């Protein structure tokens, strides 16, 4: 018998989440962002659910090859552009659209030999200060690119630092609009949070949702997946492999970080940090046992966690344990709540699903 742990990718939920985004961005085309192996879900596993997108956006060239290998003939966008001049050959061969965010990438393009001009997303650094041309340099980059025979249409692009938070997008949108005022071309500015929370100001021709497609709220804990009508794209579940009965004063696990105040039944579940369950989760992290909400107690080990069985007295060896996603009875544990307990975000938990965990699409 393999260990009882299993990740389930919910194809219908992924499809629902994409439709949900479309409803908010009716005038925009939608990139399904599938970087980091589709946020840990697996590009091949999500592909069918996201076929209705207008294109796939990612940043690893090997992942772009995988999308083409699945038979996708539509647009594919490299969100960070090329890393090396040789990457441009693959862009030509696979017809990849690519971001240009720095002079070195323009130099590579200028030296690239190709019969077919390439579609470019020219990135403005409107204040996030990660990738992109500074506003004062953006127009000269556009002019230089536009003059190259290697370049086809240029889409104007930027990325927001605070679409999910209180600072919002107005300051960056103002920089973007001022800088691009009379430049021709389509616009692409919105990630998940901007698409759902700032739809009116930040539509643009192409939206770039990632996290919401996988069912995580773009602005947790202000918003929740339920609030945004998103469904979990992934469930991580396992079973109890042992039960212990403690008395007052007994401790649990490494470092004895949890002490029972009175008699207590503890379930031992087959999941640990080597499966991608965050070690930073401490006592109190929500867990479902037989669909009933209870809490983690003590430290997360490599292969096991321990949970309080007080709210589920009937639970025992073999009982279902849901770490995030959907329990069999219909209860849902949002990945965002588990991420918050670990001091992180849903993105990191999805992406960290370990290779040793078996995955099925259902
Ligand atoms: C990852 C990424 C996105 C998607 O971000 P989410 O917050 O997951 O919606 C959009 N645009 C760019 C440039 C990205 O790198």
């Amino acid at each position: 018998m393999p260990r009882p742990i299993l990740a389930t990718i919910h194809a219908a939920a992924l499809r629902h989440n994409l439709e949900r985004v479309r409803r908010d961005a009716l005038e925009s085309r939608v990139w399904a962002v599938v970087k980091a192996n589709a946020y840990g879900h697996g590009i091949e596993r999500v592909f069918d659910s996201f076929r209705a997108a207008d294109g796939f956006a990612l940043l690893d060239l090997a992942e772009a090859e995988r999308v083409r290998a699945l038979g996708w003939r539509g647009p594919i966008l490299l969100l960070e552009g090329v890393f090396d001049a040789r990457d441009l050959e693959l862009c030509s061969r696979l017809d990849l659209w690519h971001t240009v965010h720095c002079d070195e990438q323009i130099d590579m393009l200028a030296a690239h030999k190709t019969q077919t001009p390439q579609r470019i997303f020219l990135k403005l650094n409107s204040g996030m200060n990660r990738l992109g041309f500074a506003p004062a340099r953006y127009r000269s980059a556009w002019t230089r690119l536009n003059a190259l025979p290697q370049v086809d249409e240029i889409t104007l692009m930027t990325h927001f630092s605070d679409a999910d938070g209180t600072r919002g997008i107005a300051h960056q949108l103002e920089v973007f609009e001022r800088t691009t005022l009379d430049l021709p071309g389509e616009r692409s500015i919105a990630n998940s949070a901007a698409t759902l929370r700032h739809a009116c100001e930040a539509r643009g021709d192409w939206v770039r949702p990632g996290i919401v497609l996988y069912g995580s709220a773009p602005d947790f804990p202000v918003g929740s997946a339920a609030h945004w009508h998103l469904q979990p794209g992934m469930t991580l579940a396992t079973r109890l492999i042992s039960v212990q009965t403690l008395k007052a004063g007994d401790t649990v696990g490494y470092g004895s970080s949890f002490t029972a105040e009175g008699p207590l039944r503890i379930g031992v579940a087959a999941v640990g940090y080597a499966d991608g369950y965050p070690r930073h989760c401490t006592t109190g992290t929500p867990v479902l046992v037989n669909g009933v909400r209870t809490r983690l107690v003590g430290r997360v080990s490599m292969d096991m966690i321990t949970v309080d069985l007080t709210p589920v007295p009937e639970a025992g060896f073999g009982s279902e344990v849901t770490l995030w996603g959907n329990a069999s009875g219909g209860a849902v544990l949002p990945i965002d709540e588990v991420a918050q307990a670990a001091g992180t975000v849903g993105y990191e938990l999805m992406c960290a699903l370990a290779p040793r965990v078996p995955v099925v699409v259902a």
Side-chain angles (χ1 to χ4, degrees), residues 33 35 39 79 123 157 159 191-192 208-211 347:
V33 179
K35 63 192 179 190
Y39 290 47
L79 289 165
K123 190 156 187 182
M157 175 193 193
H159 194 60
N191 61 359
S192 292
R208 308 188 303 267
I211 194 69
Y347 299 75

Side-chain angles (χ1 to χ4, degrees), residues 67-83:
V67 174
R68 281 282 179 254
L70 288 163
W72 178 251
R73 294 253 181 101
I76 297 179
L77 174 65
L78 298 177
L79 289 165
E80 293 181 358
V82 297
F83 304 98

Side-chain angles (χ1 to χ4, degrees), residues 31-36 39 56-61 63-64 76-83 96-101 105 121-123 130-132 157-159 188 190-191 207-210:
W31 290 112
V33 179
V34 294
K35 63 192 179 190
Y39 290 47
F56 288 86
L58 40 72
L59 42 85
D60 185 281
L61 282 99
E63 291 186 342
I76 297 179
L77 174 65
L78 298 177
L79 289 165
E80 293 181 358
V82 297
F83 304 98
L96 308 180
W97 303 9
H98 52 103
T99 301
V100 166
H101 61 77
Q105 290 176 323
F121 276 50
L122 181 61
K123 190 156 187 182
R130 210 174 50 176
L131 296 182
M157 175 193 193
T158 196
H159 194 60
S188 178
N191 61 359
V207 293
R208 308 188 303 267

Side-chain angles (χ1 to χ4, degrees), residues 154-175:
I154 303 173
T155 299
L156 315 177
M157 175 193 193
T158 196
H159 194 60
F160 296 127
S161 56
D162 292 78
D164 57 335
T166 48
R167 193 173 180 210
I169 62 171
H171 61 298
Q172 283 185 267
L173 199 58
E174 199 266 320
V175 173

Side-chain angles (χ1 to χ4, degrees), residues 74-153:
I76 297 179
L77 174 65
L78 298 177
L79 289 165
E80 293 181 358
V82 297
F83 304 98
D84 185 272
R86 274 167 308 185
D87 296 344
L88 289 170
E89 286 156 30
L90 197 72
C91 291
S92 288
R93 185 153 57 77
L94 297 182
D95 187 19
L96 308 180
W97 303 9
H98 52 103
T99 301
V100 166
H101 61 77
C102 64
D103 291 313
E104 290 80 357
Q105 290 176 323
I106 305 184
D107 297 340
M108 290 183 223
L109 254 174
H112 180 54
K113 295 197 181 11
T114 178
Q115 304 301 320
T116 1
Q118 302 188 342
R119 287 280 300 253
I120 302 300
F121 276 50
L122 181 61
K123 190 156 187 182
L124 172 71
N125 172 11
S126 57
M128 183 154 178
N129 290 311
R130 210 174 50 176
L131 296 182
F133 291 91
R137 304 209 42 250
Y138 189 74
R139 301 178 70 90
S140 62
W142 185 89
T143 305
R144 194 180 160 212
L145 265 182
N146 192 48
L148 293 180
Q150 292 89 343
V151 171
D152 186 19
E153 270 176 61

